[in-house]
Amino acid sequence: SVVCALLIGLMALREGTLAAPDLTLLVLLALAAFEAIAPLPEAWAQLGATLACAHRVFALADTPAPVVEPLMPSPTVGGAALFLRQLRLRYHPKGPWALDGVDLDLPQGRRLAVVGPSGAGKSSLVGALTRLYPYQGSITLGGTPLQAWHGDDVRAHIAVVEQQPYLFDASLRENLRLACPDATDEQILRVAGLAQLQDYVASLPQGLDTWVGENGVRVSGGEARRIAIARALLANPPILVLDEPTEGLDAGTVAQLYKAVAAAMQGRSVLLITHRLGALATLVDDVAVMAQGRIVECVATETYLDRVAASDARPALTLAS
Ligand code: ADP
């Protein structure tokens, strides 16, 4: 193309129909045109993958939200007592009930453990409480039905520390500030201390500026959970839900986490979700036993521990049975 443009241009130059600067322009134009066209074959090769991605993104964008926000949300007053009555939840319109008539009281300041085997409905309970899934029956928070609350207000009142907290591809400071965008470094370091993260932060090459998350430094399971606890402390919610906080961790990590959990529980209502209480038993007042989507009994922690000890002595009997 360049040679052709040059030849045609030279002929035109000789005939006097083209000025010398225009000839340069003509040759450069031929080169520049190819720069624009060169990536097209690769774009064509990737078209299939791009379309498939677009379909998935649009399908997601078109999915109706499972929970409809109220047009006029209730003012968020009235304390943080939580009452559940005949709560039912299922994931598909004709599927089995994951929660099948749960009654539960969490007055302000009460620390309650919900224990039960895998599949009992503990995570579904958390999903209903945080307004992520629609449900039947009633949940009231501060005397107002949860459906009248805006989802964000509910989640500002009920913070969940997940078993596998998500760390964003960002600095530790940004990951913690998610809970409270205006938090100062002083506040962040204070909650990091309460969550037993002081040594971890000190060991990081760039302290709070260290990149954690997907492409950042490796964060162990125990550290990620303590970061999640620090996040929850920064959000300062009246109700804290801890989902299997010590599950899958070694004894040393559990001891550190125990201190962080104890600090996080100070001055709030707590729902501790676990399939095995272990050392955390000392931190809760009562235990609700869950099985097949229902609370089958709710007793003081000592009574529960006595029964577990008795059933351990008689292995054939289990609490759920
Ligand atoms: P737990 O937390 O006690 O292990 P879950 O709440 O996760 O119990 O599960 C309760 C029931 O709901 C189980 O039968 C489970 O298979 C079902 N379930 C949980 N999550 C989903 C989901 N996203 N879609 C369909 N069924 C689900």
Side-chain angles (χ1 to χ4, degrees), residues 91-92 98 116-125 133:
Y91 292 92
H92 302 290
S118 186
K122 305 183 295 296
S123 305
S124 305
L125 186 65
Y133 295 104

Side-chain angles (χ1 to χ4, degrees), residues 203-218:
S203 75
L204 290 174
Q206 288 154 314
L208 291 176
D209 289 318
T210 308
W211 215 251
V212 292
E214 279 163 25
N215 295 320
V217 293
R218 222 189 125 259

Side-chain angles (χ1 to χ4, degrees), residues 76-274:
T76 56
V77 289
L82 196 60
F83 295 104
L84 281 59
R85 290 290 173 270
Q86 284 304 301
L87 179 66
R88 300 180 97 200
L89 182 153
R90 59 181 167 190
Y91 292 92
H92 302 290
K94 293 204 170 111
W97 293 100
L99 297 178
D100 194 8
V102 172
D103 290 315
L104 201 65
D105 293 0
L106 193 72
Q108 212 151 342
R110 190 187 193 197
R111 296 165 173 195
L112 177 72
V114 177
V115 300
S118 186
K122 305 183 295 296
S123 305
S124 305
L125 186 65
V126 178
L129 286 179
T130 45
R131 274 204 95 226
L132 296 179
Y133 295 104
Y135 56 80
Q136 294 178 13
S138 108
I139 303 179
T140 57
L141 176 61
T144 307
L146 215 60
Q147 284 106 330
W149 284 66
H150 194 283
D152 288 344
D153 290 333
V154 171
R155 291 181 285 272
H157 277 69
I158 307 176
V160 181
V161 174
E162 286 161 340
Q163 192 181 351
Q164 284 172 334
Y166 189 80
L167 290 182
F168 288 91
D169 195 13
S171 70
L172 178 59
R173 181 188 286 103
E174 285 162 9
N175 264 289
L176 290 172
R177 268 212 191 131
L178 280 177
C180 175
D182 304 329
T184 60
D185 275 7
E186 206 182 359
Q187 288 168 310
I188 292 177
L189 289 171
R190 194 184 69 82
V191 294
L194 287 172
Q196 305 296 308
L197 279 169
Q198 62 276 49
D199 294 344
Y200 173 68
V201 176
S203 75
L204 290 174
Q206 288 154 314
L208 291 176
D209 289 318
T210 308
W211 215 251
V212 292
E214 279 163 25
N215 295 320
V217 293
R218 222 189 125 259
V219 177
S220 73
E223 285 152 2
R225 277 182 228 181
R226 278 180 283 138
I227 291 173
I229 289 175
R231 237 185 222 164
L233 280 166
L234 215 49
N236 199 16
I239 302 175
L240 183 67
V241 178
L242 297 154
D243 194 359
E244 300 278 13
T246 53
E247 183 57 23
L249 301 177
D250 60 75
T253 316
V254 168
Q256 255 180 337
L257 210 73
Y258 177 91
K259 282 192 199 162
V261 167
M265 285 183 172
Q266 283 301 321
R268 19 189 146 250
S269 315
V270 175
L271 210 57
L272 169 68
I273 310 281
T274 182

Side-chain angles (χ1 to χ4, degrees), residues 283-295:
L283 297 176
V284 290
D285 309 314
D286 302 291
V287 179
V289 180
M290 198 167 189
Q292 293 168 354
R294 291 199 187 146
I295 302 291

Side-chain angles (χ1 to χ4, degrees), residues 13-79:
L13 191 68
R14 268 198 209 139
E15 283 166 17
T17 49
L18 189 74
D22 290 348
L23 173 65
T24 326
L25 205 68
L26 201 69
V27 173
L28 288 177
L29 190 74
L31 277 174
F34 272 86
E35 238 172 74
I37 292 165
L40 283 183
E42 196 180 336
W44 178 255
Q46 298 214 348
L47 186 64
T50 309
L51 282 178
C53 289
H55 277 303
R56 277 160 47 202
V57 170
F58 285 123
L60 204 60
D62 292 342
T63 308
V67 173
V68 182
E69 295 292 359
L71 285 177
M72 300 274 285
S74 273
T76 56
V77 289

